[in-house]
Amino acid sequence: MFNLKSFEVWFVTGSQHLYGEETLRQVDEHSQIIADALNNSSAIPVKIVFKPVVKTPDEIWSVCKAANNTPNCVGVITWMHTFSPAKMWIRGLNALQLPILHLHTQFNRNIPFDTIDMDFMNLNQSAHGDREFGHIMTKMRLNRKVVVGHWQDTEVHDKINAWARVAVGRYQMQHLKVVRFGDNMRQVAVTDGDKVSAEMKFGFSVNTHAVGDLVQVINQITDAEIERLIQEYEDTYALMPSLLKNGERRSSLVEAARIEAGLKAFLTDGGYGAYTNTFEDLHGMRQLPGIGSQRMMAAGYGYGGEGDWKTSAMVHVMKLMASGMKGGNTFMEDYTYHFDPENAMVLGSHMLEICPSIATGTVNCEVHPLGIGGKEDPVRLVFNAASGPALNVSLVDLGNRFRLIVNEVEAVEVTESFPKLPTARALWKPQPDMKVGLEAWILAGGAHHTVYSQNLTVEYLENLAEMLDIELVVIDKATTIRGLKNELKINEVFYK
Ligand code: MN
């Protein structure tokens, strides 16, 4: 679904006319070398595009406007090889509508002690040129990412990678269409929120369709399409005997495939990247989509249950940001606790819709009754989530602002067999420990629904919060309840 190389980040170097033609020629040459190295780095998935060195307020303004107007440009990397008096940048920075990464590097790694002279000093001034640029951005109260280090360091490439992927995510948010089948689950608070404010802040739109509009598409799916999908199920998953050809529940699988194909067609035709539905509004559908929603997520679509459009949008965006990385991202729900003091942990699951991108081992395809919704038994994928570090991410609407809450967790290997649990499952230990992690989450107002990520780190979410200029609350090894309470109080003042 995603091709990160189709997105551009512009590499813009600032200078001035003071130094003469020869120095400016070298600035240009060095900038090109750095931009090419970043573009060719296997650690950086987007295209890095070199732009000729800017030396005047008009050139700066022009490159900022051009970046805004370039359809696939998601952000700008700036670097001051020499000194670029920063008042020249004010008009351009005011016009720029894209995230900035300020790369605080210099062309040479080491000081050439034996040969250094004033010509060298004249050319290699980023140690003070970048400070002048940093000052104006601070004075203008502009959020940006500052990355420090030599441009050949892998650590620098990793940080540019984490920023660029998020810049793509932010860009996608501006274009994302989320479709909401039916409304919010009755009486539920956290899944709801202000869709208009969300569009103003994030750019994505959330619009409704009657579930009947979807049913109409589902009912037009041909037998041939259903056959093709079932073949894919058989090739990919371990089907329970009753779902096999001539099995007594085969018709459930046929219906599930029809629903999946209908969902896919509806989302494709409408240009939607994410959707949400609710088991309270399934008029005309014979099953609540289980395997269909699971496989749509695996294909990159966002999903949130019970009308949860915020989590749905975040699932899509985080999948895009993590595109090509090992591990998965899924819609998740904190379901049940294991309060054993020796081995406290959370069982994460949902009644159906967990993305198999987080699975380890066999993915089983099964059909079981569902206690709610009053529909036929839905087909679903059942599996264990892989162990390792992971994150839970929740975006909530606090009325006057949105808050992004991130909890680092450690997923443990699922060794229990859960013989009677007909859902996908994950087991994790919240940081800093079970009790503090849960207390902090509840105090921060985090939802029961999250995006569960095996491959994105806090750095990605921090970059995202800064690009979107929203509140971020991180619950990690360093969290204390007293500190968190203070942070929440201070944030109330900051965001008033
Ligand atoms: Mn739920």
Side-chain angles (χ1 to χ4, degrees):
M1 190 177 195
F2 308 124
N3 173 18
L4 295 178
K5 268 291 174 206
S6 67
F7 296 99
E8 292 181 5
V9 166
W10 285 13
F11 190 93
V12 177
T13 305
S15 190
Q16 60 178 329
H17 278 297
L18 183 72
Y19 308 107
E21 283 312 305
E22 175 52 20
T23 300
L24 286 175
R25 190 194 58 72
Q26 289 180 70
V27 169
D28 213 62
E29 189 185 310
H30 291 171
S31 301
Q32 176 110 51
I33 290 169
I34 295 177
D36 287 351
L38 300 180
N39 187 47
N40 294 327
S41 167
S42 59
I44 300 174
V46 302
K47 197 167 157 189
I48 306 288
V49 179
F50 166 79
K51 290 289 155 185
V53 175
V54 288
K55 303 165 294 290
T56 65
D58 282 342
E59 286 176 9
I60 292 166
W61 180 79
S62 292
V63 79
C64 290
K65 293 291 278 185
N68 290 342
N69 291 335
T70 300
N72 281 355
C73 181
V74 298
V76 174
I77 296 175
T78 55
W79 173 54
M80 308 301 133
H81 192 352
T82 54
F83 198 82
S84 181
K87 281 169 66 181
M88 298 199 305
W89 283 83
I90 293 172
R91 184 153 49 101
L93 290 174
N94 270 331
L96 187 66
Q97 293 164 328
L98 297 170
I100 289 187
L101 183 149
H102 179 190
L103 180 59
H104 185 42
T105 190
Q106 66 184 17
F107 187 68
N108 54 301
R109 196 193 70 175
N110 296 351
I111 295 173
F113 293 103
D114 294 340
T115 56
I116 188 165
D117 58 11
M118 271 323 289
D119 284 346
F120 184 93
M121 297 278 272
N122 203 27
L123 176 63
N124 297 285
Q125 304 186 26
S126 23
H128 62 282
D130 272 332
R131 289 175 194 230
E132 167 76 357
F133 181 73
H135 168 75
I136 200 65
M137 289 206 74
T138 295
K139 184 157 183 167
M140 292 172 76
R141 273 68 175 177
L142 295 174
N143 290 354
R144 77 283 197 187
K145 175 85 173 179
V146 179
V147 174
V148 179
H150 191 248
W151 54 277
Q152 287 173 315
D153 284 356
T154 55
E155 208 177 285
V156 166
H157 292 209
D158 291 345
K159 285 192 176 300
I160 293 173
N161 168 51
W163 173 84
R165 285 174 175 273
V166 176
V168 171
R170 174 204 168 268
Y171 174 93
Q172 182 73 357
M173 270 190 166
Q174 312 252 312
H175 298 83
L176 174 63
K177 291 167 64 182
V178 182
V179 60
R180 186 173 178 179
F181 298 115
D183 204 303
N184 195 58
M185 181 179 165
R186 284 187 281 277
Q187 306 285 17
V188 176
V190 78
T191 48
D192 220 325
D194 185 340
K195 299 193 283 291
V196 181
S197 293
E199 188 160 345
M200 288 162 63
K201 191 67 179 168
F202 307 114
F204 65 77
S205 67
V206 184
N207 284 296
T208 189
H209 264 277
V211 75
D213 294 345
L214 172 61
V215 168
Q216 223 167 27
V217 178
I218 289 171
N219 289 341
Q220 286 166 6
I221 299 301
T222 64
D223 290 348
E225 281 175 85
I226 292 170
E227 279 302 309
R228 197 187 49 73
L229 256 186
I230 287 182
Q231 185 63 52
E232 207 175 308
Y233 297 170
E234 285 173 341
D235 293 344
T236 317
Y237 315 114
L239 270 59
M240 70 195 295
S242 62
L243 293 177
L244 294 171
K245 205 175 178 88
N246 303 322
E248 72 268 22
R249 305 302 303 274
R250 183 72 168 188
S251 61
S252 298
L253 197 66
V254 170
E255 192 54 30
R258 189 193 317 282
I259 291 169
E260 179 183 333
L263 271 170
K264 182 83 184 263
F266 191 98
L267 298 178
T268 308
D269 290 351
Y272 297 108
Y275 70 103
T276 171
N277 61 355
T278 164
F279 64 89
E280 287 177 337
D281 189 353
L282 296 171
H283 287 283
M285 292 184 83
R286 287 171 52 193
Q287 296 174 18
L288 177 59
I291 186 173
S293 288
Q294 293 178 293
R295 284 172 45 85
M296 292 305 285
M297 274 191 276
Y301 289 90
Y303 176 79
E306 295 109 43
D308 190 344
W309 50 272
K310 294 188 294 299
T311 307
S312 176
M314 286 299 294
V315 167
H316 174 71
V317 169
M318 287 174 65
K319 278 178 175 289
L320 171 60
M321 287 172 7
S323 173
M325 292 166 68
K326 191 173 173 287
N329 290 270
T330 179
F331 172 64
M332 183 59 80
E333 180 165 317
D334 292 72
Y335 230 100
T336 300
Y337 293 143
H338 190 59
F339 268 139
D340 174 2
E342 301 300 308
N343 187 29
M345 51 190 176
V346 179
L347 170 61
S349 189
H350 206 252
M351 53 190 183
L352 296 171
E353 309 92 343
I354 301 294
C355 177
S357 63
I358 65 163
T360 184
T362 308
V363 177
N364 295 301
C365 181
E366 303 178 6
V367 61
H368 301 281
L370 192 68
I372 54 176
K375 294 285 169 178
E376 292 175 12
D377 301 349
V379 177
R380 79 287 304 273
L381 299 174
V382 179
F383 53 84
N384 294 329
S387 59
L391 289 179
N392 272 310
V393 177
S394 171
L395 179 65
V396 297
D397 182 350
L398 293 183
N400 66 336
R401 67 185 187 273
F402 292 94
R403 171 181 285 167
L404 192 64
I405 304 155
V406 182
N407 186 195
E408 287 187 341
V409 305
E410 187 67 31
V412 300
E413 193 188 341
V414 180
T415 49
E416 307 290 337
S417 65
F418 295 95
K420 294 188 170 178
L421 185 69
T423 64
R425 74 291 301 232
L427 288 170
W428 66 75
K429 295 172 181 293
Q431 300 285 5
D433 59 54
M434 183 81 167
K435 286 184 179 170
V436 174
L438 302 187
E439 184 177 348
W441 187 271
I442 285 173
L443 287 170
H448 57 288
H449 285 170
T450 60
V451 188
Y452 178 86
S453 178
Q454 293 172 324
N455 43 27
L456 298 175
T457 60
V458 168
E459 183 180 4
Y460 289 81
L461 282 310
E462 195 176 344
N463 289 345
L464 185 67
E466 277 173 1
M467 282 180 201
L468 298 169
D469 201 24
I470 60 169
E471 183 186 3
L472 173 71
V473 175
V474 175
I475 302 163
D476 62 7
K477 286 193 179 98
T479 296
T480 64
I481 293 302
R482 191 176 298 142
L484 180 104
K485 282 181 174 172
N486 277 331
E487 179 184 345
L488 298 180
K489 278 184 199 159
I490 291 163
N491 287 357
E492 281 303 320
V493 178
F494 182 83
Y495 286 97
K496 267 284 183 305

